[in-house]
Amino acid sequence: MGDAFDATLRHPRPHIQNPRSSSQTSPSFLSTTTTMSAGPTQHLAGEGYSARNPVPTIEKFQAQQAADVAEQDKSLPPTPGPRGKAPSDEKKELMERMQPPQGSRPIDLAKQKGDKWVTDPVTGDQVLLRNPQFADFHEKGLDNKGLDPGSGKAGPALRAPEDPAQQDPRYTAPKPADIGNICLQQFPPPVDPVDISKAKTILRTGALTTTGVCAIIWFFVVFRNHLSWLSWFFRSGLLGGVVLIAWVGAENAGRKIEKELERVRMKMHTQRAEEHSPPTPESVEWMNALIKVVWGLINPEMFVPVVDMVEDILQASLPGVVDAVRIADIGQGTNPIRIVSMRALADQPGHRDYPREEWVGLDKDSQSKAQAAQVDKTGDSSTDPAKDIDTDQTGDYLNYEVSVSYQALPGQSKKLRQHNIHLMLEFFIGVWDWFRVPVPFYTIVEGFVATARLRIQFIQNPPFVRNLTITLMGVPKVEVSVEPFTKALPNVLDLPMIKNFVEMGIAAGCAQYVAPKSLTLNLAQLLAGSGVKKDTAALGVLVITIHHAEGLSAQDRNGQSDPYIVLAYAKFGKPLYSTRIIEGDRNPVWEETAVLLVTDDEVKGEEDVSAMLWDSDKRTADDLVGRVTIPLKELMKQPGKMFSRVDKLTGFEDANDMPGALFWDIGYYEKNPLNTSLKKEEPTDVTQAVKENKPVQEQATVADNQAETDALSTPPDPNIPSGILSVIIHQINNLERQDIKGNTGDREGQAGQDTTEPTEEGANLPNGYCEIIVNDDLIYKTRVKQYTSMPYFEAGTERFIRDWRDTVVRVQVRDARVREKDAVLGIVTVKLSEVFQNSSVVTRLFSLQEGVGYGRANISFLFRQVKTDLPRTMLGWETGTVEILDSVTIEPAPGFTEGFSSKKLSLSTSDDKYKVPSSAARELEGGSTVWDLPVDKVRLPVYNRYSSAVLFEIGSGGIGPLGAASDYVALLWLKDVPDDEEVPVRVPVIKSGKLKQIRQNYINDQTAKTHEYEIVGWLSCTIVLDSGLDPDHEDFQENRAEKHRYEAYDRVEGQAAIAAKTADMKADTENGDLSKQQRKEIDSEKTHQLNMRHRGVMQFKPARTTKWSKDGLKKRAQSIKNMITGDKERQPNVESETG
């Protein structure tokens, strides 16, 4: 359970549902609701940092604080009035009387800087948010004198609480230290035993009187003459029974009175506590006593998630002179935190049926009674903001407000500081990437104060609790002291710059959970040791096909435009997809298809889908020209259908109409339910499965609903290829570098290599980070975890997958090094068709391979299918190699007599080009021309396959540099070609005065309508689109991301391909004799293989540094060249945690 706890709490990131309206079928371990414009409002610990939920930084935190202060300085919103307020004067007067007296209300303090009204995610009501201050916690009643009941000053246990009318749940405890303990105050006063004895004496007197009367009656009755013995005994027994009943009744009545008085007293005590406890903070010294005992017994590793979060924030906020920061050690000491006050809060105070008996304590609240009475009287709940809340969930929640405080022990001697919460920070000072010098600092937490609200959901099934929602009532106040760890550096005023940096880092981390934001933990799964989400954050996908645009306005001096379309969510604004640029055209034809994920964040944020028209400029910033927007909710009302649209472009100034219209298709597709007919049997024992040669199934974990249960044992349906893939990297265990030096000196009797377990000390600790590569496209990069053998990431991403049956995912772990390239520590390669054999959710340890390090990565894969209408040709990879086989033939169109036999042929993609000389052309009977390729097949690498084409250029187009690039062109758009199949193609050969413009457009009826060209023939050939990277891509890696993904391919597949090629080369050579050129190629590949694994010359750091310097000079030279020429380097879309 410890690993699951760490993995779950490591990074609560950023996506959560509303805990008040969620059903018990919430899909994930931790949930988060995100408003795109303001960031996540609730955080899901297992979701991980991403571009949507970036690592917070001190700069962003300070900017947000400044924005809040600026907004508060303008005006503070009025105190939110009670809901359901009627217009009658009587009701108005009643509500005014129920407000705290003027001047004593917490709202009167709201004009202080930092106070604002927000929505409380725990109660759902408005709450006044105020950052805690030390004075609020320390100025009342927490000194020793105040805590001593024997002193003249009443302590918390004996202090009378304030007027409950002043304890409005819309305000946090005004003075968390000003508390009472109602339940410990005797009410009514204890019953004096003397009083009970008097009542008993009266009853006994009555019984004695009855005895006397019965004795007199007996004397006159039983001694009468002529009375038989039977009558005597009967009358005596009857009177004796009356006496006995009188005495027994008197004693029983006395005992009943005594018990009933105790019951009444306890009932009144309970009623008083229930009535005043919810709004009144109480001390909980019994809990502080428990915390004091447990605090020193807690394993410091339990605090690693918090430390890890702070370290990430500090790392993302470092100044330029500091290269890295590391929290090397943490200790909680023996001085525990204290719970200063605690109070219960109402659940659903805005509900139309509020209050109810099952809601905590407020059935006796007079203000609530008045609100409920008004609703019953008017029957009007139209102003109820909670009317859409699922009433089946009411009564399932318990809410608390808790104020905590911590103060370091008096004295700052080194003997005492270990009893306080302390950290050891290491700052690595460096210049660029030349060197790093570690400087350690000892940090003591002097104190902190915070107020939080908790919301606990109770369910009917064990363990009877599910979600715990936590929100902070303001940014906690934290104070630390920092001093050098070495005596060589003086301690000057607690090193104020570092002190402030650490305090701001902690504040920035806490700001993620300040109301209205919150963190939700799934306690049921946490207690069971399961923290892996079993559903994607995405609800579905938008499939968008951009066909073409007509009549665009001229943006350039030549009367043309260089348009392209960017798809985004209007409020979020970040580009999610961009078409290719078509230069010099006002009627572009794109025919490109994009798929966008739709999450709960976009739905709650009421987003619009925006298609924005941009004009590309070579030397200046691109211009945003126009846009088209569609409400997302309108699209979601009719899922599973594509809608063809023609929308006129609008501008950005007063939404004015502008020239041009966009022709496009758009549709929303939901996630498909799992095909339960594919459900596998219960998982068998691992050992037994191996013996029976069966695949080892994933062990079932805790699920919240039937859908999650099915996901654990139901694989994806092979008949539905597309869907949403979630990849989350939790942590890497025992990550270390290989010892490539070996032993020196006298080696006799020594072990060949070090086999001890890695530690967190030493100079050889890696700076690990991970890259996620899907189908040879690098899509995600984690943050760097500095100097650790146990890096925790809890980071990942979700992507649309065209065909899961052929998808390959690689997780590449690299080591961020100084003065050398980032070494590959290892790679995890996963084929989805194999990993999802028995389940749609897999969490497993994968060993790192093909690198210069060791370790096991804990990674989760989750797949949910989406049934789209994508054709088979749209289910391939984005990266591949075009193979043109044998020959290329052109058949002239009827009436065309110029001929092609004297023309040279050029074949190209956006990345490579191959020229066929005119001597290879020959004319056939009937006028057709055939170019016999000089090689078996022409291979042309291609990126961005679905927006690329193979361009066939025929002829030279003229004489000298003033001539056109070619006489004729033919285009084969790769979106129409399936992967890994031999396909005969036939495309038109085009002649036009604007071939440069024509060759950028997709050729269809729309192109013929808006562009002038002539079809002069038809080109035929056979091609194969070989999916994925191969050695042909090696010379076209322009940036770091492309180089890294090629290195992953080269290590996993490239070396095997080269080995096969070498074997074929030897087999084709007679007598096994290789030519000089062939031997040179083989030796070069051997050297390359050794260098990749830091063997050969690359085992020496100066050699690696030299190569790093050479690559750096090339990069800077290319940057200077681009500045001069105006060229823009291709930048792949790689998501990261830093936004």
Side-chain angles (χ1 to χ4, degrees), residues 936-961:
D936 292 339
K937 51 188 175 183
V938 175
R939 293 177 59 86
L940 301 173
V942 63
Y943 300 96
N944 302 320
R945 165 264 190 93
Y946 285 106
S947 59
S948 300
V950 179
L951 175 64
F952 300 85
E953 296 178 281
I954 303 100
S956 61
I959 300 176

PDB file of all heavy atoms in Angstrom, residues 936-961:
ATOM      1  N   ASP A 936      16.389  -0.303 -57.207  1.00  0.00           N
ATOM      2  CA  ASP A 936      15.226  -1.189 -57.071  1.00  0.00           C
ATOM      3  C   ASP A 936      13.996  -0.410 -56.624  1.00  0.00           C
ATOM      4  O   ASP A 936      12.889  -0.661 -57.087  1.00  0.00           O
ATOM      5  CB  ASP A 936      15.536  -2.301 -56.067  1.00  0.00           C
ATOM      6  CG  ASP A 936      16.588  -3.258 -56.597  1.00  0.00           C
ATOM      7  OD1 ASP A 936      16.757  -3.303 -57.824  1.00  0.00           O
ATOM      8  OD2 ASP A 936      17.233  -3.938 -55.771  1.00  0.00           O
ATOM      9  N   LYS A 937      14.211   0.508 -55.715  1.00  0.00           N
ATOM     10  CA  LYS A 937      13.108   1.332 -55.233  1.00  0.00           C
ATOM     11  C   LYS A 937      13.668   2.634 -54.683  1.00  0.00           C
ATOM     12  O   LYS A 937      14.741   2.671 -54.067  1.00  0.00           O
ATOM     13  CB  LYS A 937      12.279   0.618 -54.167  1.00  0.00           C
ATOM     14  CG  LYS A 937      13.082   0.037 -53.013  1.00  0.00           C
ATOM     15  CD  LYS A 937      12.213  -0.816 -52.116  1.00  0.00           C
ATOM     16  CE  LYS A 937      13.044  -1.496 -51.017  1.00  0.00           C
ATOM     17  NZ  LYS A 937      12.214  -2.383 -50.184  1.00  0.00           N
ATOM     18  N   VAL A 938      12.923   3.688 -54.909  1.00  0.00           N
ATOM     19  CA  VAL A 938      13.290   5.004 -54.383  1.00  0.00           C
ATOM     20  C   VAL A 938      12.627   5.168 -53.020  1.00  0.00           C
ATOM     21  O   VAL A 938      11.408   4.960 -52.890  1.00  0.00           O
ATOM     22  CB  VAL A 938      12.847   6.127 -55.337  1.00  0.00           C
ATOM     23  CG1 VAL A 938      13.128   7.487 -54.717  1.00  0.00           C
ATOM     24  CG2 VAL A 938      13.556   5.993 -56.674  1.00  0.00           C
ATOM     25  N   ARG A 939      13.407   5.518 -52.025  1.00  0.00           N
ATOM     26  CA  ARG A 939      12.879   5.689 -50.667  1.00  0.00           C
ATOM     27  C   ARG A 939      12.988   7.159 -50.270  1.00  0.00           C
ATOM     28  O   ARG A 939      14.084   7.739 -50.286  1.00  0.00           O
ATOM     29  CB  ARG A 939      13.640   4.808 -49.673  1.00  0.00           C
ATOM     30  CG  ARG A 939      13.407   3.315 -49.893  1.00  0.00           C
ATOM     31  CD  ARG A 939      14.240   2.483 -48.926  1.00  0.00           C
ATOM     32  NE  ARG A 939      13.936   2.793 -47.542  1.00  0.00           N
ATOM     33  CZ  ARG A 939      12.953   2.241 -46.825  1.00  0.00           C
ATOM     34  NH1 ARG A 939      12.147   1.358 -47.403  1.00  0.00           N
ATOM     35  NH2 ARG A 939      12.765   2.568 -45.567  1.00  0.00           N
ATOM     36  N   LEU A 940      11.852   7.744 -49.906  1.00  0.00           N
ATOM     37  CA  LEU A 940      11.790   9.154 -49.523  1.00  0.00           C
ATOM     38  C   LEU A 940      11.171   9.265 -48.138  1.00  0.00           C
ATOM     39  O   LEU A 940       9.994   8.923 -47.948  1.00  0.00           O
ATOM     40  CB  LEU A 940      10.951   9.955 -50.532  1.00  0.00           C
ATOM     41  CG  LEU A 940      11.426   9.930 -51.985  1.00  0.00           C
ATOM     42  CD1 LEU A 940      10.395  10.612 -52.875  1.00  0.00           C
ATOM     43  CD2 LEU A 940      12.782  10.610 -52.113  1.00  0.00           C
ATOM     44  N   PRO A 941      11.914   9.700 -47.125  1.00  0.00           N
ATOM     45  CA  PRO A 941      11.339   9.847 -45.779  1.00  0.00           C
ATOM     46  C   PRO A 941      10.305  10.961 -45.742  1.00  0.00           C
ATOM     47  O   PRO A 941      10.404  11.948 -46.492  1.00  0.00           O
ATOM     48  CB  PRO A 941      12.547  10.181 -44.898  1.00  0.00           C
ATOM     49  CG  PRO A 941      13.543  10.761 -45.835  1.00  0.00           C
ATOM     50  CD  PRO A 941      13.329  10.100 -47.161  1.00  0.00           C
ATOM     51  N   VAL A 942       9.332  10.828 -44.879  1.00  0.00           N
ATOM     52  CA  VAL A 942       8.279  11.831 -44.764  1.00  0.00           C
ATOM     53  C   VAL A 942       7.837  11.946 -43.309  1.00  0.00           C
ATOM     54  O   VAL A 942       7.767  10.955 -42.580  1.00  0.00           O
ATOM     55  CB  VAL A 942       7.071  11.475 -45.670  1.00  0.00           C
ATOM     56  CG1 VAL A 942       6.441  10.161 -45.240  1.00  0.00           C
ATOM     57  CG2 VAL A 942       6.027  12.586 -45.654  1.00  0.00           C
ATOM     58  N   TYR A 943       7.626  13.190 -42.882  1.00  0.00           N
ATOM     59  CA  TYR A 943       7.008  13.497 -41.593  1.00  0.00           C
ATOM     60  C   TYR A 943       5.638  14.124 -41.876  1.00  0.00           C
ATOM     61  O   TYR A 943       5.359  14.563 -42.990  1.00  0.00           O
ATOM     62  CB  TYR A 943       7.861  14.475 -40.784  1.00  0.00           C
ATOM     63  CG  TYR A 943       9.256  13.970 -40.466  1.00  0.00           C
ATOM     64  CD1 TYR A 943      10.343  14.322 -41.259  1.00  0.00           C
ATOM     65  CD2 TYR A 943       9.477  13.149 -39.377  1.00  0.00           C
ATOM     66  CE1 TYR A 943      11.617  13.876 -40.965  1.00  0.00           C
ATOM     67  CE2 TYR A 943      10.752  12.692 -39.074  1.00  0.00           C
ATOM     68  CZ  TYR A 943      11.813  13.052 -39.872  1.00  0.00           C
ATOM     69  OH  TYR A 943      13.074  12.596 -39.575  1.00  0.00           O
ATOM     70  N   ASN A 944       4.790  14.170 -40.886  1.00  0.00           N
ATOM     71  CA  ASN A 944       3.473  14.784 -41.051  1.00  0.00           C
ATOM     72  C   ASN A 944       2.781  14.222 -42.299  1.00  0.00           C
ATOM     73  O   ASN A 944       2.339  14.962 -43.175  1.00  0.00           O
ATOM     74  CB  ASN A 944       3.581  16.307 -41.150  1.00  0.00           C
ATOM     75  CG  ASN A 944       4.256  16.909 -39.940  1.00  0.00           C
ATOM     76  OD1 ASN A 944       4.020  16.489 -38.808  1.00  0.00           O
ATOM     77  ND2 ASN A 944       5.125  17.875 -40.165  1.00  0.00           N
ATOM     78  N   ARG A 945       2.715  12.943 -42.345  1.00  0.00           N
ATOM     79  CA  ARG A 945       2.255  12.246 -43.541  1.00  0.00           C
ATOM     80  C   ARG A 945       0.872  12.678 -44.007  1.00  0.00           C
ATOM     81  O   ARG A 945       0.602  12.788 -45.204  1.00  0.00           O
ATOM     82  CB  ARG A 945       2.296  10.739 -43.232  1.00  0.00           C
ATOM     83  CG  ARG A 945       1.547   9.819 -44.174  1.00  0.00           C
ATOM     84  CD  ARG A 945       0.138   9.491 -43.642  1.00  0.00           C
ATOM     85  NE  ARG A 945      -0.518   8.447 -44.372  1.00  0.00           N
ATOM     86  CZ  ARG A 945      -0.468   7.182 -44.021  1.00  0.00           C
ATOM     87  NH1 ARG A 945       0.239   6.806 -42.981  1.00  0.00           N
ATOM     88  NH2 ARG A 945      -1.152   6.290 -44.703  1.00  0.00           N
ATOM     89  N   TYR A 946      -0.044  12.974 -43.050  1.00  0.00           N
ATOM     90  CA  TYR A 946      -1.422  13.279 -43.432  1.00  0.00           C
ATOM     91  C   TYR A 946      -1.607  14.694 -43.961  1.00  0.00           C
ATOM     92  O   TYR A 946      -2.718  15.068 -44.345  1.00  0.00           O
ATOM     93  CB  TYR A 946      -2.369  13.006 -42.267  1.00  0.00           C
ATOM     94  CG  TYR A 946      -2.577  11.516 -42.072  1.00  0.00           C
ATOM     95  CD1 TYR A 946      -1.979  10.841 -41.016  1.00  0.00           C
ATOM     96  CD2 TYR A 946      -3.344  10.792 -42.968  1.00  0.00           C
ATOM     97  CE1 TYR A 946      -2.153   9.479 -40.850  1.00  0.00           C
ATOM     98  CE2 TYR A 946      -3.523   9.434 -42.809  1.00  0.00           C
ATOM     99  CZ  TYR A 946      -2.924   8.782 -41.753  1.00  0.00           C
ATOM    100  OH  TYR A 946      -3.095   7.422 -41.620  1.00  0.00           O
ATOM    101  N   SER A 947      -0.552  15.477 -43.984  1.00  0.00           N
ATOM    102  CA  SER A 947      -0.613  16.787 -44.643  1.00  0.00           C
ATOM    103  C   SER A 947       0.483  16.917 -45.697  1.00  0.00           C
ATOM    104  O   SER A 947       0.833  18.026 -46.090  1.00  0.00           O
ATOM    105  CB  SER A 947      -0.483  17.908 -43.613  1.00  0.00           C
ATOM    106  OG  SER A 947       0.740  17.806 -42.907  1.00  0.00           O
ATOM    107  N   SER A 948       1.003  15.774 -46.148  1.00  0.00           N
ATOM    108  CA  SER A 948       2.108  15.780 -47.107  1.00  0.00           C
ATOM    109  C   SER A 948       1.731  15.027 -48.375  1.00  0.00           C
ATOM    110  O   SER A 948       0.792  14.228 -48.387  1.00  0.00           O
ATOM    111  CB  SER A 948       3.361  15.134 -46.483  1.00  0.00           C
ATOM    112  OG  SER A 948       3.775  15.835 -45.332  1.00  0.00           O
ATOM    113  N   ALA A 949       2.510  15.279 -49.427  1.00  0.00           N
ATOM    114  CA  ALA A 949       2.295  14.628 -50.721  1.00  0.00           C
ATOM    115  C   ALA A 949       3.636  14.253 -51.320  1.00  0.00           C
ATOM    116  O   ALA A 949       4.677  14.842 -50.992  1.00  0.00           O
ATOM    117  CB  ALA A 949       1.531  15.545 -51.673  1.00  0.00           C
ATOM    118  N   VAL A 950       3.590  13.253 -52.226  1.00  0.00           N
ATOM    119  CA  VAL A 950       4.741  12.963 -53.068  1.00  0.00           C
ATOM    120  C   VAL A 950       4.582  13.805 -54.334  1.00  0.00           C
ATOM    121  O   VAL A 950       3.545  13.727 -55.014  1.00  0.00           O
ATOM    122  CB  VAL A 950       4.821  11.468 -53.422  1.00  0.00           C
ATOM    123  CG1 VAL A 950       6.028  11.212 -54.325  1.00  0.00           C
ATOM    124  CG2 VAL A 950       4.925  10.639 -52.157  1.00  0.00           C
ATOM    125  N   LEU A 951       5.576  14.611 -54.621  1.00  0.00           N
ATOM    126  CA  LEU A 951       5.524  15.522 -55.759  1.00  0.00           C
ATOM    127  C   LEU A 951       6.359  14.947 -56.905  1.00  0.00           C
ATOM    128  O   LEU A 951       7.561  14.687 -56.749  1.00  0.00           O
ATOM    129  CB  LEU A 951       6.052  16.898 -55.347  1.00  0.00           C
ATOM    130  CG  LEU A 951       6.167  17.945 -56.462  1.00  0.00           C
ATOM    131  CD1 LEU A 951       4.788  18.281 -57.028  1.00  0.00           C
ATOM    132  CD2 LEU A 951       6.851  19.199 -55.929  1.00  0.00           C
ATOM    133  N   PHE A 952       5.716  14.745 -58.034  1.00  0.00           N
ATOM    134  CA  PHE A 952       6.405  14.322 -59.251  1.00  0.00           C
ATOM    135  C   PHE A 952       6.542  15.549 -60.153  1.00  0.00           C
ATOM    136  O   PHE A 952       5.537  16.129 -60.587  1.00  0.00           O
ATOM    137  CB  PHE A 952       5.609  13.238 -59.984  1.00  0.00           C
ATOM    138  CG  PHE A 952       5.386  11.984 -59.182  1.00  0.00           C
ATOM    139  CD1 PHE A 952       4.323  11.878 -58.301  1.00  0.00           C
ATOM    140  CD2 PHE A 952       6.239  10.905 -59.319  1.00  0.00           C
ATOM    141  CE1 PHE A 952       4.105  10.718 -57.574  1.00  0.00           C
ATOM    142  CE2 PHE A 952       6.036   9.736 -58.590  1.00  0.00           C
ATOM    143  CZ  PHE A 952       4.964   9.642 -57.710  1.00  0.00           C
ATOM    144  N   GLU A 953       7.771  15.970 -60.421  1.00  0.00           N
ATOM    145  CA  GLU A 953       8.027  17.115 -61.283  1.00  0.00           C
ATOM    146  C   GLU A 953       8.651  16.610 -62.590  1.00  0.00           C
ATOM    147  O   GLU A 953       9.662  15.892 -62.567  1.00  0.00           O
ATOM    148  CB  GLU A 953       8.957  18.114 -60.597  1.00  0.00           C
ATOM    149  CG  GLU A 953       8.363  18.743 -59.346  1.00  0.00           C
ATOM    150  CD  GLU A 953       9.308  19.701 -58.658  1.00  0.00           C
ATOM    151  OE1 GLU A 953      10.214  19.234 -57.941  1.00  0.00           O
ATOM    152  OE2 GLU A 953       9.147  20.917 -58.859  1.00  0.00           O
ATOM    153  N   ILE A 954       8.060  17.017 -63.725  1.00  0.00           N
ATOM    154  CA  ILE A 954       8.522  16.566 -65.031  1.00  0.00           C
ATOM    155  C   ILE A 954       9.078  17.761 -65.790  1.00  0.00           C
ATOM    156  O   ILE A 954       8.401  18.786 -65.921  1.00  0.00           O
ATOM    157  CB  ILE A 954       7.374  15.910 -65.827  1.00  0.00           C
ATOM    158  CG1 ILE A 954       6.789  14.740 -65.037  1.00  0.00           C
ATOM    159  CG2 ILE A 954       7.860  15.449 -67.187  1.00  0.00           C
ATOM    160  CD1 ILE A 954       5.523  15.057 -64.310  1.00  0.00           C
ATOM    161  N   GLY A 955      10.306  17.623 -66.274  1.00  0.00           N
ATOM    162  CA  GLY A 955      10.927  18.698 -67.036  1.00  0.00           C
ATOM    163  C   GLY A 955      11.598  19.708 -66.152  1.00  0.00           C
ATOM    164  O   GLY A 955      11.439  19.732 -64.933  1.00  0.00           O
ATOM    165  N   SER A 956      12.349  20.610 -66.820  1.00  0.00           N
ATOM    166  CA  SER A 956      13.093  21.634 -66.091  1.00  0.00           C
ATOM    167  C   SER A 956      12.369  22.951 -66.014  1.00  0.00           C
ATOM    168  O   SER A 956      12.697  23.805 -65.209  1.00  0.00           O
ATOM    169  CB  SER A 956      14.463  21.848 -66.760  1.00  0.00           C
ATOM    170  OG  SER A 956      14.278  22.298 -68.100  1.00  0.00           O
ATOM    171  N   GLY A 957      11.387  23.180 -66.904  1.00  0.00           N
ATOM    172  CA  GLY A 957      10.590  24.391 -66.836  1.00  0.00           C
ATOM    173  C   GLY A 957      11.201  25.602 -67.467  1.00  0.00           C
ATOM    174  O   GLY A 957      10.671  26.693 -67.326  1.00  0.00           O
ATOM    175  N   GLY A 958      12.298  25.534 -68.131  1.00  0.00           N
ATOM    176  CA  GLY A 958      12.867  26.707 -68.786  1.00  0.00           C
ATOM    177  C   GLY A 958      14.377  26.710 -68.721  1.00  0.00           C
ATOM    178  O   GLY A 958      15.018  25.741 -68.327  1.00  0.00           O
ATOM    179  N   ILE A 959      14.963  27.829 -69.097  1.00  0.00           N
ATOM    180  CA  ILE A 959      16.415  27.943 -69.163  1.00  0.00           C
ATOM    181  C   ILE A 959      16.873  28.918 -68.075  1.00  0.00           C
ATOM    182  O   ILE A 959      16.352  30.019 -67.947  1.00  0.00           O
ATOM    183  CB  ILE A 959      16.864  28.450 -70.545  1.00  0.00           C
ATOM    184  CG1 ILE A 959      16.395  27.480 -71.642  1.00  0.00           C
ATOM    185  CG2 ILE A 959      18.370  28.628 -70.587  1.00  0.00           C
ATOM    186  CD1 ILE A 959      16.702  27.955 -73.039  1.00  0.00           C
ATOM    187  N   GLY A 960      17.856  28.483 -67.341  1.00  0.00           N
ATOM    188  CA  GLY A 960      18.462  29.362 -66.357  1.00  0.00           C
ATOM    189  C   GLY A 960      17.580  29.555 -65.133  1.00  0.00           C
ATOM    190  O   GLY A 960      16.516  28.958 -64.971  1.00  0.00           O
ATOM    191  N   PRO A 961      18.023  30.435 -64.219  1.00  0.00           N
ATOM    192  CA  PRO A 961      17.313  30.637 -62.956  1.00  0.00           C
ATOM    193  C   PRO A 961      15.971  31.307 -63.110  1.00  0.00           C
ATOM    194  O   PRO A 961      15.162  31.300 -62.194  1.00  0.00           O
ATOM    195  CB  PRO A 961      18.280  31.525 -62.157  1.00  0.00           C
ATOM    196  CG  PRO A 961      19.098  32.226 -63.189  1.00  0.00           C
ATOM    197  CD  PRO A 961      19.247  31.269 -64.321  1.00  0.00           C
TER     198      PRO A 961
END
